[in-house]
Amino acid sequence: MLAKRLIPCLDVADGRVKKGVNFVNLTDVGDPVKIAAAYQQQGADELVFLDISATNEQRKTMTDIVEQVSAQVFMPLTIGGGISSVTDMQRLLKAGADKIAINSAAVADPTLIQAGAKKFGNQCIVVAIDTAFDEQAGQYRVYTHGGQQATSFEAIAWAQKAVSLGAGELLVTSMDRDGTKAGFDLRLYQQLGAAVNVPIIASGGAGNLADFTDVFQQSPVDGALAASVFHYGELTIGQVKQSLKAKGVVVR
Amino acid sequence: MFAIVDYDTGNTRNLQKAFNYLQVPTQLTADPDKLAAADAVILPGVGAFAAAMQALRTRDLVPVLQQLGQAGKPVLGICLGMQLLFESSTEYGEHAGLGLLSGQVTAIPANIGVKVPQMGWNENELQQSTSPFAGIDHEYTYFVHSYYAVSPASQVVASVQHGVQVPSIVQRQNVIGMQFHPEKSGQVGLAQLATFKEMVSANDFSSN
């Protein structure tokens, strides 16, 4: 039986990890290789690197980071942020990435999903969706450009379309919960799980141990992504896994 | 020196990085003489079965790999590379494999309540207690695949459950396959590669 995955997400700009990661014994808190190695040590199941660089020029450094991390850290690596072509994907996959997450570019041109899946296989293509509940419309609305731009897309339908085009996994962030530590948006993941049959990674809202138990026991997600609770050492991967195991959730 | 078969497949570099990390020298090559001279041949692979066999055929590597495997050269197939070691696959039609292992590669059934592809960490169950790979029992390794090997039990060293019993390590004497990605399976994955290296150094494949 597949283990539920715990996935730290690292924001990277110009070759350095932003949002200070606060680990004991970590001498260089911005070094992606050292942070990745520390997370491997803790038992992380996968890492997501999100490139938040402002320019395409800065983004090129991501390739070097992937190259270096994959020489020292032996777990699946997903890279996202500013990827808008099959050429970008190929460059990162060649450097050692396992999966590519596309977000705004997929909304702008959904055939990018198809092109990537056809060339590299569905398992390589993660469609990342940022969404918030629109009370008036009574549905989840998709946002792009780091949550700055509302689109006309409804999240569940967009998820289904992305999967039909070849997305092998969905990384779905609840903007309503992101940064709140109020727990994952269970309703969102329940609706998504009923609509698609690819792995779903939940993101946004992780604050305490119970939040992880709830998202795995009350929604059909395969993984949970978090940043600050892990980075600031509020929870270790080990603690979360121990707690999940005690509640009967299968973890590695 | 281990030779990694160079035939334009996906995970070659990461595999090479894992061997580097273990301080095992590797060489990427499609040269039959270099493959023959190597201590072991590593067959990586990502993608579709038929395309991979075609890529091997284009480089005239099919008879080379078959002869090396039959002559006792240690061969390690990884992921799709493992599947290629079998007799055939039903992925998009019926295609012949290298035939160094008995059995057929077939789709994980989609209607049995599991997601396909199997993508993630799964727990290994040891099937042959005297194997040098015995340390993998109850350990998790990372899988990404939609097809799996239907293999005689005598070849199955370890397996995982994903709706069906999926062989995770297979062996027939000097021919070994890993369905998971050892280069993506943390310390456990590296340990399996180290075990293979020790088997090659000792030239001992008698456990199977």
Side-chain angles (χ1 to χ4, degrees), chain A residues 207-241:
Chain A
N208 58 42
L209 293 173
D211 294 336
F212 289 95
T213 314
D214 289 347
V215 77
F216 287 126
Q217 289 193 327
Q218 295 176 40
S219 82
V221 299
D222 300 81
L225 178 139
S228 54
V229 289
F230 294 142
H231 295 338
Y232 299 125
E234 293 163 27
L235 296 174
T236 65
I237 303 279
Q239 281 172 327
V240 177
K241 286 195 169 179

Side-chain angles (χ1 to χ4, degrees), chain B residues 94-108:
Chain B
E94 173 105 18
H95 304 283
L98 295 169
L100 291 168
L101 294 172
S102 309
Q104 194 180 43
V105 175
T106 189
I108 299 171

